[in-house]
Amino acid sequence: MAEVEKKEVAAATPPWKPKPRPIVRLGIVLISHSLLVSVVCCTAGVVALFLLPMLAKNTYISENALMPGSASSMLSNDDISEAERLAKDLTSLNSGAADAGIERRRVLAKYLSDLGVEVGYHKFEPHQNQFHPLHFFSSPDSGLSRENGSCSSYGINVVGIIRAPQADGKEAIVLVTPFNFRKNSSSEALSISIGYAVFSLLSRVTWLAKDIIWLVADSQYGEYASVASWLRDYHIPVFSASSSHNADSCFEGNNINLLREESLDRTEISSGFRRAGTMAAALVLKVTDVKGQLEDTLSVYAEASNGQMPNLDLINVVNYLAVHRQGLRVKVEKFLSVLRWEWIWVLGDTLNFIGKVAGSLNPEWKFGISTPDYVEGTATLANSLYRQALGIPTGPHGAFRDFQVDAITLEISPKVVYTNQGRRNEFILRSARLIEGVVRSVNNLLEKFHQSFFLYLLTSPAKFVSVGVYMIGFALLVAPLPLVAASLYVDANKPDPSSQGPKHKLQINFKPWKWLSAAKQVFTVHAWGVFVSLLPYFISQIPNSTPAAHSIIWFSLSTFGLLVLYLITKSHSKPQKGEWENLKSVTISVVFIGLLLMSVVNFATAQIGALVLVPACLLAQPLKLDIRDASLKSFLRIACNVFISFVAFPPVGFFVLKGVNEGFGDMDVGEFWTWLESLWAWNSATYIYIGMVHLPCWVLCLHILLHSC
Amino acid sequence: MPTANTEEENSKSELQKNHGGGGGFTRWAVVAVIFRLALIYFPGNLNLSSRPEVSTPLTSIRRLAEGYWLKQSSMSPYAGSMYHGSPLLLSVLGPLTVKSRTILTDSVAHCRIEGQPSHILCSLVFVLADLISSILIRATGRKLQIAYRKSLKSLNLLNKSTDSGALSSGDIAALVYLWNPFTIVACVGLSTSPVENLFTILTLYGAATGLAPLAAFGWVMATHLSLYPAILIIPVILLLGYGPDAPPSKLFRSKEHGKVGDGKSSQEIIFSWRRVFHLLVWTSLWSVYVLVLCSISVKQHGSLQEMFQRTYGFILTVEDLSPNIGVLWYFFAEVFDFFRDFFLIVFHSNILFMILPLAIRLKHRPCFLAFVYIAISSMLKSYPSVGDSALYLGLLGLFLDELADMQFSFFLFCGYVGVSLLSPVMHNLWIWRGTGNANFYYATAMAYACFQIVLVVESVSSMLNHDRKLTKLSTSKLQK
């Protein structure tokens, strides 16, 4: 290596010049061997990604103050039977009746006010998610237009607040149970019983240091919308007179007044919006019926918008209490299709074997992992990556993360639908004790959750990969980009010995600024990318059309735009030497910046994007050159290039992934539109990434491939 | 990325149609103004005026509006540590902030609740300031280029290729200034830095054209508004004394020696003390004038002493530690209180230490010296914003001919683009999401400072290389 280095330095610098500094020399060596370095780094990056399930650590509770499970549960059967009475009252109401919803709310409010807690109604209008392309850079509230919606559709949440007897009321813990007041559902009633059991206990205890808010979210317009609008009203008070006037006009003739007047004790139900302190944590509780389970399970959902996760400690506490105290089976979502892939099993076997061999060589090397564990971990990790990359929250807890509140959704599913009251009570008892334990732990907190990780990927409920580990793989993957960009740039701008001008004339040559024309091309394509990403906003306004029609209009308009751009900027001059190298160099730099940015915004998107874009950019080379060359290597490169640029086209990539997961049976062009629409409706940064980084870079790669050099 | 490329894109397009001349500049300038107006009327949801990159405690229009409000309600505008700008700015811009509110009652009433008053009139002033600045830069560039040609001619170095290449560095510099995303953001984001930049540029223009009163006025106003341009007095004196940038004077002298026989009158470069004296007189006159105006303005509710304390004192003692793109806030947030004064002195003298060596080395190129001073002070000042970077990036274009073979231009470009995109993301991660912390944001600030250092070092070294090249060429010519 030292020999090579010396040669390299000798070649790079004229002999009379002083030796450059070591760091410069290192840079020169790396740049001159960029091919080798990039192959090694990319391979290492991909390998590191597949090693992540092995490198996952066991979770541990980082915050000492939490002390989960140190206190014994105080929940008694009286609470349960009271909760069951409430559930019965709620379910016994005739669901067909028009005012069943009002009646249920009244019953619930009466039960709550009987506990002696503050009760309030919160009325909201569910509004459509709108397209805010720049939402990510702004605060959560900005750009949110408070439109005056119609009064016809609205929902009413019921909110109960327990004031902590000996606290200053500056902090609160939130419990959320989604409940459709219009419908009769046994599982939702079960979740109400669990919530009520905990709430009634908490209204009596003396150890509360934080207020407890129980939000029974009206889920008739979706669980997320109700929670999100409650949170918005909680955090962003409305002062303008016009909106309150509007609200009043809406109340007029509506049955919320009816509701209020009919309630037994009017003084106990507050008319204004009730608040407690800042939220320390929030738990969303749901009960679902899933058939064919061996035991009661608890599913944890944590992903909020743009791949944000709650503090790992919250998941740890839930996991610890559920497993070690209540004997529930905890699981996180995983890709079931991964379990069917043969090669993952083979890979797992191989890693297992390597681990065993290493263990026999030195017993201290304990990195082996059993094959099923590895495959399960990979499936969970894949799902974790996918969910974070989508940037769409996996449940109502996502709304909390927008206000920096740590929240998770706990979905409890009983083994069977309980008909026996005793078994049912026991199930409620276990679930309620879990919630009580978590509340008690969070209640102990002195500060916000800050000890444990915010940036992690889960490979099982009790195992995680932290940012420090998964970033290594990503860094290895993108490290070749600047190197290759630099080496291409150096190649393209080598002083040309033939065209040396006369020595005695002052020549101002703008050679070092040659990259500007490449930068201009790259900029133009990116401007086109912005145009393409804004188009759906206008296309979606077209009434009465199917997603398929939308996507076809979109596709044709984008192509048209690209053609127009091409015709405008087309240069008639002969391609210069080093033109495509410069273009590729700038493209690669842009990809590098884009991936780096995205890895900060949403790591998972950047990781998945890098897997596609990095090889595509690094391999891109004019096909003409390769065809002229006509060697095995160049044919291989042509094949790779054609394949990658085919797959990297976003719609194709989407359908290929979908096909791999669900089979290539029925494909609809509209599906891609629907998928993207969901992305932009949820303000996912992934949408911006696809439109402004991935697509332009793909076009640029194609441009390089078809370059006439 | 897209906006960040605009600047280069335009300078590039200018490079290509280098015969475009004045028409090209006017067209692009008009487009730039329209672009700004469109952005102002279409504010989007970026909240530019509350971004830490754009508005500092010194330049924020919201603070100015607050100061004006305090003044209207018969209080000192400096009460409550909200406003730290000049009282003159308050008198000029303050009424505009209020007027726009009454004009657009309905829409503004809605906006004001969100804490975002819309100041249409103010932004028109800033757009105008930007436009005037670019015109001044262009005129300065013309002046510099003429001087450059003249000195090359006198050294017999001017050949056809340099002569016919009619790409005017002044045009490019002006367009770079107008289309620089930093300038646009500072203008649309309603910070007062366009006005400050205008006075700095006015100083340079006045000095380059030899108008001592104008230069003095610009310098006094710029110093009054933001203190740091005070160090520009050295380049201004050099500019007025020696005239615009030229190759090292010893080159001319050696030329004289070489051609001693031909009897031509020596083209000695004389330091013109008369102009400098004019400058000093005018400076003192303008200073007195500005001080009198200020004292009239603050007389009712305060004193000049309070004004100095709240403006210059605020700048020098780094009282406000809210995050910005500079490097001082984090340091002074961390430093122990009893070391604070010491480090204040260290950091501020950092700028002062560099003044003298640079002045000695670059005394034959006073305009470039001014650029270097501005770049250094915008890097080390206590409340930097992107508006300051916009100024020196615009001035960089003036030296296009000299810096043509600057190294690392591509690297620097990528760095600036990357950092300016990464910094808001890190800020969001820290402030809004809570998953990052101050170090994340400060890291981008340090990276930004590094890129600025690289830019300054590279530009200075390539300028010196250029001088060396000139020397080599002229000596080889003499020996022939």
Side-chain angles (χ1 to χ4, degrees):
Chain A
M1 198 66 197
E3 199 63 32
V4 173
E5 190 175 327
K6 262 183 202 156
K7 248 186 227 165
E8 210 35 65
V9 171
T13 58
W16 59 83
K17 269 199 177 172
K19 254 189 178 179
R21 272 162 287 176
I23 188 158
V24 177
R25 265 191 287 165
L26 187 69
I28 290 170
V29 168
L30 282 180
I31 286 170
S32 57
H33 294 88
S34 63
L35 180 68
L36 180 69
V37 173
S38 50
V39 168
V40 169
C41 280
C42 281
T43 321
V46 175
V47 169
L49 182 64
F50 282 101
L51 286 183
L52 284 185
M54 267 173 77
L55 301 172
K57 279 192 286 188
N58 286 325
T59 54
Y60 55 95
I61 288 167
S62 180
E63 172 72 85
N64 276 330
L66 283 169
M67 298 190 289
S70 57
S72 54
S73 176
M74 296 166 72
L75 201 75
S76 64
N77 277 321
D78 290 349
D79 296 312
I80 306 290
S81 52
E82 187 69 11
E84 277 300 273
R85 210 157 56 79
L86 166 67
K88 265 203 196 91
D89 282 358
L90 288 178
T91 45
S92 64
L93 285 167
N94 184 5
S95 61
D99 57 349
I102 305 164
E103 193 57 29
R104 289 211 178 91
R105 274 186 204 99
R106 205 182 57 76
V107 168
L108 185 60
K110 181 177 175 303
Y111 268 85
L112 286 179
S113 54
D114 285 349
L115 285 178
V117 304
E118 290 176 19
V119 189
Y121 293 117
H122 167 248
K123 180 177 155 299
F124 66 93
E125 286 156 17
H127 46 87
Q128 289 290 309
N129 277 318
Q130 281 166 351
F131 184 34
H132 299 300
L134 300 168
H135 183 84
F136 177 79
F137 289 106
S138 46
S139 49
D141 54 319
S142 71
L144 220 166
S145 54
R146 291 171 184 278
E147 291 157 11
N148 301 334
S150 63
C151 300
S152 57
S153 66
Y154 65 92
I156 300 172
N157 297 328
V158 179
V159 184
I161 299 179
I162 303 170
R163 302 285 173 193
Q166 290 165 17
D168 54 3
K170 287 197 177 126
E171 285 180 301
I173 303 170
V174 185
L175 283 178
V176 181
T177 41
F179 184 69
N180 192 342
F181 288 99
R182 291 251 169 99
K183 260 200 213 144
N184 232 344
S185 148
S186 63
S187 55
E188 281 191 336
L190 201 53
S191 69
I192 287 282
S193 336
I194 297 171
Y196 183 79
V198 177
F199 201 63
S200 65
L201 168 74
L202 293 177
S203 68
R204 294 194 316 268
V205 295
T206 50
W207 44 259
L208 274 188
K210 296 174 169 61
D211 297 349
I212 307 288
I213 305 175
W214 186 27
L215 173 69
V216 182
D218 191 351
S219 65
Q220 55 178 322
Y221 299 107
E223 294 160 0
Y224 186 89
S226 53
V227 177
S229 57
W230 178 75
L231 273 171
R232 208 160 36 234
D233 290 343
Y234 190 96
H235 285 100
I236 308 161
V238 182
F239 295 122
S240 76
S242 61
S243 78
S244 73
H245 171 74
N246 178 47
D248 282 346
S249 74
C250 260
F251 279 126
E252 212 67 41
N254 264 333
N255 34 19
I256 192 162
N257 275 353
L258 211 67
L259 192 68
R260 210 163 265 151
E261 273 155 33
E262 275 186 8
S263 65
L264 295 179
D265 192 351
R266 277 181 69 189
T267 51
E268 295 214 3
I269 294 181
S270 60
S271 52
F273 191 87
R274 288 276 173 171
R275 289 189 177 77
T278 56
M279 297 168 188
L283 296 172
V284 181
L285 178 70
K286 277 158 73 174
V287 177
T288 50
D289 295 326
V290 181
K291 297 278 165 348
Q293 289 191 114
L294 299 176
E295 50 197 320
D296 299 343
T297 55
L298 167 71
S299 307
V300 175
Y301 295 91
E303 289 88 355
S305 60
N306 279 323
Q308 299 178 80
M309 299 292 277
N311 197 297
L312 189 55
D313 265 347
L314 188 59
I315 297 178
N316 290 348
V317 169
V318 170
N319 184 44
Y320 178 85
L321 288 174
V323 173
H324 297 289
R325 289 290 180 275
Q326 308 307 331
L328 291 165
R329 204 179 113 86
V330 181
K331 58 176 195 181
V332 287
E333 226 184 335
K334 61 186 161 220
F335 267 150
L336 292 175
S337 60
V338 173
L339 299 181
R340 291 194 300 267
W341 294 348
E342 280 299 323
W343 61 275
I344 285 284
W345 288 93
V346 174
L347 189 64
D349 282 339
T350 319
L351 290 174
N352 190 15
F353 175 71
I354 294 173
K356 267 187 192 148
V357 170
S360 65
L361 290 178
N362 185 348
E364 303 235 321
W365 294 343
K366 276 182 256 174
F367 52 79
I369 181 171
S370 73
T371 314
D373 275 357
Y374 175 78
V375 175
E376 290 255 321
T378 314
T380 316
L381 184 76
N383 185 68
S384 195
L385 267 176
Y386 173 71
R387 288 281 166 214
Q388 290 190 18
L390 271 191
I392 300 175
T394 46
H397 59 269
F400 284 93
R401 190 61 235 175
D402 290 342
F403 297 92
Q404 290 198 25
V405 180
D406 296 297
I408 50 173
T409 295
L410 306 177
E411 203 177 271
I412 307 174
S413 25
K415 190 165 60 179
V416 286
V417 177
Y418 292 114
T419 42
N420 179 352
Q421 190 61 44
R423 299 285 302 280
R424 189 179 153 99
N425 280 0
E426 199 226 317
F427 173 74
I428 295 175
L429 189 70
R430 282 164 73 194
S431 314
R433 279 192 171 152
L434 168 68
I435 306 289
E436 184 207 347
V438 177
V439 167
R440 189 144 195 190
S441 274
V442 176
N443 184 58
N444 289 343
L445 276 184
L446 299 177
E447 305 169 61
K448 265 183 68 158
F449 277 109
H450 66 279
Q451 279 276 352
S452 196
F453 295 93
F454 282 105
L455 307 167
Y456 54 89
L457 296 164
L458 287 176
T459 62
S460 85
K463 278 192 159 188
F464 75 105
V465 185
S466 82
V467 56
V469 176
Y470 67 58
M471 265 297 178
I472 296 173
F474 179 73
L476 281 172
L477 201 54
V478 298
L481 291 178
L483 285 179
V484 172
S487 94
L488 278 172
Y489 180 77
V490 169
D491 281 353
N493 295 298
K494 254 189 202 145
D496 205 349
S498 60
S499 68
Q500 204 69 270
K503 280 257 170 182
H504 304 297
K505 292 283 179 192
L506 175 67
Q507 265 203 330
I508 293 171
N509 64 334
F510 286 93
K511 248 195 162 168
W513 297 87
K514 232 165 66 185
W515 56 269
L516 272 181
S517 78
K520 190 184 154 200
Q521 280 177 348
V522 171
F523 170 71
T524 328
V525 175
H526 276 267
W528 173 77
V530 175
F531 165 74
V532 171
S533 348
L534 292 179
L535 267 182
Y537 177 69
F538 301 105
I539 294 174
S540 63
Q541 313 275 338
I542 301 170
N544 304 329
S545 52
T546 60
H550 277 151
S551 26
I552 288 167
I553 295 173
W554 191 21
F555 183 76
S556 42
L557 276 180
S558 315
T559 325
F560 178 70
L562 195 62
L563 273 180
V564 168
L565 264 188
Y566 178 71
L567 290 179
I568 290 175
T569 57
K570 193 178 163 196
S571 63
H572 298 285
S573 59
K574 199 163 69 72
Q576 289 172 328
K577 180 191 157 283
E579 194 178 297
W580 73 266
E581 282 101 338
N582 261 329
L583 184 63
K584 188 176 167 184
S585 161
V586 178
T587 308
I588 289 178
S589 318
V590 168
V591 169
F592 181 63
I593 294 175
L595 285 177
L596 215 61
L597 269 182
M598 204 55 213
S599 74
V600 178
V601 176
N602 187 346
F603 170 77
T605 309
Q607 174 74 62
I608 295 173
L611 283 178
V612 181
L613 268 188
V614 170
C617 284
L618 291 183
L619 281 174
Q621 186 167 337
L623 291 178
K624 239 181 179 177
L625 286 183
D626 275 339
I627 291 171
R628 221 182 284 156
D629 198 23
S631 66
L632 180 65
K633 191 178 143 199
S634 59
F635 278 123
L636 261 178
R637 183 155 50 203
I638 291 175
C640 285
N641 271 329
V642 169
F643 173 73
I644 291 178
S645 38
F646 178 68
V647 173
F649 185 48
V652 175
F654 171 75
F655 285 117
V656 166
L657 273 185
K658 202 172 134 49
V660 168
N661 266 332
E662 299 164 22
F664 291 90
D666 41 306
M667 291 282 182
D668 183 15
V669 188
E671 270 175 65
F672 182 64
W673 171 272
T674 323
W675 182 70
L676 272 186
E677 195 176 38
S678 72
L679 285 188
W680 63 256
W682 288 98
N683 288 316
S684 170
T686 306
Y687 177 74
I688 297 184
Y689 169 79
I690 291 176
M692 295 189 192
V693 179
H694 188 98
L695 190 62
C697 291
W698 177 75
V699 169
L700 284 167
C701 282
L702 273 194
H703 183 63
I704 294 169
L705 283 182
L706 303 176
H707 198 275
S708 59
C709 53
Chain B
M1 243 151 298
T3 46
N5 278 346
T6 328
E7 150 208 359
E8 300 298 345
E9 193 247 327
N10 280 292
S11 63
K12 172 63 202 165
S13 63
E14 208 45 27
L15 273 171
Q16 278 183 337
K17 54 176 178 58
N18 42 28
H19 52 271
F25 171 75
T26 323
R27 201 164 57 232
W28 280 107
V30 169
V31 175
V33 170
I34 291 172
F35 184 60
R36 280 173 167 73
L37 293 179
L39 281 183
I40 288 163
Y41 272 98
F42 186 65
N45 45 15
L46 262 181
N47 275 343
L48 274 180
S49 58
S50 57
R51 303 286 323 169
E53 295 89 2
V54 177
S55 65
T56 65
L58 297 175
T59 61
S60 158
I61 194 84
R62 291 162 77 187
R63 285 172 181 256
L64 192 139
E66 179 81 15
Y68 186 71
W69 187 84
L70 286 172
K71 200 181 160 193
Q72 289 305 95
S73 40
S74 319
M75 275 185 268
S76 163
Y78 298 112
S81 186
M82 197 64 186
Y83 183 57
H84 299 283
S86 143
L88 299 181
L89 216 53
L90 204 62
S91 317
V92 175
L93 290 179
L96 300 182
T97 59
V98 175
K99 209 168 182 186
S100 59
R101 278 187 194 168
T102 49
I103 288 173
L104 306 156
T105 28
D106 235 24
S107 64
V108 174
H110 174 74
C111 288
R112 201 166 39 189
I113 285 146
E114 319 262 311
Q116 288 293 313
S118 88
H119 303 291
I120 302 287
L121 287 178
C122 267
S123 34
L124 288 182
V125 171
F126 295 141
V127 173
L128 198 66
D130 266 358
L131 188 64
I132 297 173
S133 308
S134 73
I135 291 170
L136 289 178
I137 289 182
R138 187 164 174 245
T140 317
R142 290 253 155 114
K143 208 83 197 161
L144 287 181
Q145 199 160 33
I146 290 168
Y148 180 66
R149 290 273 155 76
K150 220 174 89 189
S151 52
L152 282 192
K153 207 174 240 168
S154 70
L155 289 173
N156 285 338
L157 284 175
L158 198 65
N159 57 2
K160 292 245 163 52
S161 69
T162 40
D163 199 31
S164 61
L167 51 119
S168 156
S169 57
D171 281 4
I172 291 171
L175 284 179
V176 166
Y177 182 76
L178 266 187
W179 278 101
N180 189 340
F182 288 168
T183 328
I184 295 174
V185 161
C187 174
V188 176
L190 293 169
S191 81
T192 57
S193 42
V195 179
E196 291 166 14
N197 290 351
L198 171 65
F199 283 109
T200 315
I201 291 167
L202 187 69
T203 316
L204 290 182
Y205 171 74
T209 48
L211 297 170
L214 194 63
F217 175 68
W219 182 77
V220 169
M221 281 308 292
T223 309
H224 170 66
L225 289 180
S226 57
L227 183 64
Y228 287 93
I231 54 174
L232 288 184
I233 192 71
I234 296 173
V236 167
I237 289 175
L238 289 173
L239 253 179
L240 284 174
Y242 287 126
D245 296 20
S249 51
K250 66 169 185 254
L251 253 182
F252 294 103
R253 248 175 279 141
S254 64
K255 191 174 157 247
E256 290 302 318
H257 283 295
K259 297 188 176 179
V260 87
D262 68 351
K264 229 165 133 189
S265 69
S266 70
Q267 197 208 2
E268 192 68 32
I269 293 171
I270 311 146
F271 192 80
S272 140
W273 284 106
R274 203 170 57 87
R275 278 176 168 180
V276 174
F277 177 70
H278 273 183
L279 176 79
L280 294 181
V281 171
W282 277 105
T283 304
S284 43
L285 272 180
W286 284 119
S287 318
V288 171
Y289 180 63
V290 165
L291 281 182
V292 167
L293 280 184
C294 283
S295 66
I296 292 172
S297 171
V298 296
K299 188 182 60 185
Q300 295 153 331
H301 323 294
S303 61
L304 270 185
Q305 197 201 346
E306 190 196 4
M307 183 194 91
F308 282 123
Q309 256 174 20
R310 292 312 183 93
T311 53
Y312 293 170
F314 182 77
I315 293 172
L316 291 177
T317 53
V318 198
E319 282 169 33
D320 192 314
L321 297 177
S322 53
N324 56 39
I325 56 173
V327 286
L328 295 196
W329 61 274
Y330 190 82
F331 187 81
F332 283 106
E334 297 287 323
V335 80
F336 288 122
D337 246 1
F338 38 88
F339 290 134
R340 196 184 156 85
D341 293 336
F342 170 70
F343 280 111
L344 277 177
I345 295 168
V346 168
F347 273 89
H348 289 304
S349 51
N350 240 340
I351 299 179
L352 299 179
F353 275 144
M354 280 182 240
I355 288 178
L356 201 61
L358 281 170
I360 292 168
R361 192 68 185 82
L362 290 170
K363 66 174 181 302
H364 57 284
R365 295 194 178 273
C367 254
F368 186 70
L369 180 66
F371 155 76
V372 174
Y373 280 175
I374 292 172
I376 287 174
S377 67
S378 77
M379 185 166 52
L380 291 174
K381 74 199 290 190
S382 37
Y383 310 103
S385 72
V386 290
D388 304 309
S389 312
L391 178 61
Y392 72 75
L393 286 178
L395 293 180
L396 184 66
L398 287 176
F399 314 101
L400 208 65
D401 295 336
E402 291 90 333
L403 301 183
D405 39 27
M406 190 171 126
Q407 276 185 317
F408 298 130
S409 55
F410 181 51
F411 170 73
L412 279 172
F413 175 71
C414 289
Y416 268 79
V417 171
V419 166
S420 54
L421 291 173
L422 202 59
S423 159
V425 173
M426 290 298 193
H427 189 262
N428 178 284
L429 211 62
W430 173 29
I431 301 290
W432 290 114
R433 291 213 205 167
T435 48
N437 54 37
N439 299 328
F440 285 50
Y441 185 61
Y442 189 63
T444 63
M446 294 223 291
Y448 184 58
C450 286
F451 283 118
Q452 282 173 312
I453 291 170
V454 174
L455 177 74
V456 169
V457 169
E458 278 307 314
S459 57
V460 169
S461 70
S462 62
M463 181 58 95
L464 296 179
N465 277 339
H466 181 76
D467 280 346
R468 270 179 218 128
K469 202 163 102 187
L470 283 183
T471 319
K472 219 168 88 187
L473 283 174
S474 100
T475 46
S476 68
K477 225 171 212 177
L478 287 175
Q479 280 156 10
K480 248 199 293 183

